Amino acid sequence: MARRSVLFSPGDKPDLMRKAPETGADTVVFDLEDAVAPGQKATARTAVSDVLTDPSFDPDCEVCVRVNPDLGAAVRDIEAITDGDPRLDSVMAPKVESADDVARIGELIRECGNELPIIAICESASGVLAAEAIAAADRVDAVLFGAEDLSADVGATRTETGEEIAYAREHVVLAAAAADVDAIDTLVTDIGATDRLAEETAVARQLGYDGKIAIHPSQVEVINETFTPDPEDVEWANRVLDAAKAAEAEGRGVFRVDDEMIDAPLIERAEAILDRHRAARKTQ
């Protein structure tokens, strides 16, 4: 499954939730947390449940719900979204600061008769520092880096160049790679800043992230395009793997492709490109 674009949709807006899969996002997240005012939580739970259990709602993408960080609210969220026969693929847990936080959400899901994977958000100083344990926790399928909440937590000033979040951003992607789970990069808050979005997404891809948050449908295409391997890269990867098979048959560990010496790390890079290419094709 590709998670190039992870589009958030307010949980109290049924029309937007139903339209979200039509944007081309790989993952749509119905948000019961920040996008919903405190007085509208109960209404939002009902709205999300109604959409998830509507027989006509059957999108070709991952469907996720972000629950609230407060344990009592999370219980009500999970009970509502797992009731009946929902079209639900995963649960997103915000403000996760330890593997124990993940375990609590997992237990709540299990008590409601489900074994859904969890996408954990590292968005505080404690959460980032514990990212390795969080990413390796049972049922975690992806970790998401939240730069805005992190900046507020540590008192940092957000800048377009992002020096204030550089360490945390790299730490989270390393933790995800060590646990072999997906890493989702933070959002760009300026919906109209298409060039900036493209630049930040390109950097996220270079760092090793698998996808990026979108907060508006207009951001999805830019993100998907950036995280989809270029045809030239796919051709290179195929040539590398073909040559690797021939080299293995001849007992050679190092070989040449396009005047470039190829060894194990570049073979792994070629395999990763083709994996990403195949995952993207499945969602098109």
Side-chain angles (χ1 to χ4, degrees), residues 8-14 17 29-48 65-69 77:
F8 281 69
S9 187
D12 58 348
K13 304 292 183 184
M17 287 190 284
V29 181
F30 298 160
D31 191 9
L32 291 173
E33 193 209 10
D34 288 346
V36 178
Q40 294 298 312
K41 298 291 187 180
T43 300
R45 291 184 189 108
T46 300
V48 170
V65 174
R66 177 163 72 168
V67 299
N68 284 281
D77 293 342

Side-chain angles (χ1 to χ4, degrees), residues 4-244:
R4 297 167 300 176
S5 50
V6 178
L7 175 66
F8 281 69
S9 187
D12 58 348
K13 304 292 183 184
D15 290 344
L16 295 182
M17 287 190 284
R18 293 180 186 277
K19 293 178 181 177
E22 300 173 6
T23 64
D26 293 333
T27 299
V28 295
V29 181
F30 298 160
D31 191 9
L32 291 173
E33 193 209 10
D34 288 346
V36 178
Q40 294 298 312
K41 298 291 187 180
T43 300
R45 291 184 189 108
T46 300
V48 170
S49 178
D50 287 346
V51 172
L52 295 178
T53 56
D54 185 342
S56 67
F57 181 72
D58 189 24
D60 293 326
C61 64
E62 179 182 25
V63 179
C64 179
V65 174
R66 177 163 72 168
V67 299
N68 284 281
D70 174 76
L71 192 59
V75 170
R76 294 188 289 274
D77 293 342
I78 293 170
E79 288 177 344
I81 65 177
T82 58
D83 187 38
D85 186 21
R87 170 62 173 84
L88 180 63
D89 300 304
S90 57
V91 171
M92 183 173 289
K95 298 177 174 61
V96 175
E97 297 192 335
S98 68
D100 288 342
D101 288 347
V102 176
R104 278 189 284 272
I105 294 298
E107 184 58 29
L108 292 178
I109 296 170
R110 193 173 297 109
E111 288 174 356
C112 290
N114 287 270
E115 295 291 339
L116 296 165
I118 296 171
I119 299 176
I121 311 180
C122 298
E123 53 185 335
S124 66
S126 296
V128 168
L129 292 177
E132 186 175 352
I134 292 167
D138 186 40
R139 307 213 62 75
V140 170
D141 200 50
V143 290
L144 188 152
F145 172 52
E148 305 307 317
D149 282 82
L150 172 67
S151 296
D153 188 42
V154 303
T157 300
R158 287 290 278 122
T159 64
E160 289 192 8
T161 50
E163 291 91 345
E164 70 285 355
I165 62 166
Y167 168 78
R169 195 182 190 190
E170 294 175 12
H171 184 78
V172 170
V173 75
L174 284 172
D180 195 24
V181 299
D182 286 346
I184 311 300
D185 189 40
T186 193
L187 70 157
V188 171
T189 56
D190 188 344
I191 296 170
T194 303
D195 290 343
R196 180 184 167 197
L197 175 64
E199 292 171 2
E200 282 210 14
T201 306
V203 171
R205 177 180 172 182
Q206 291 170 351
L207 290 175
Y209 277 91
D210 299 285
K212 191 170 181 67
I213 298 173
I215 55 172
H216 190 273
S218 64
Q219 297 180 320
V220 169
E221 183 177 358
V222 174
I223 294 171
N224 281 353
E225 182 178 348
T226 303
F227 276 105
T228 299
D230 296 328
E232 295 81 4
D233 290 337
V234 174
E235 292 174 2
W236 173 85
N238 279 317
R239 289 198 301 273
V240 167
L241 295 187
D242 288 344

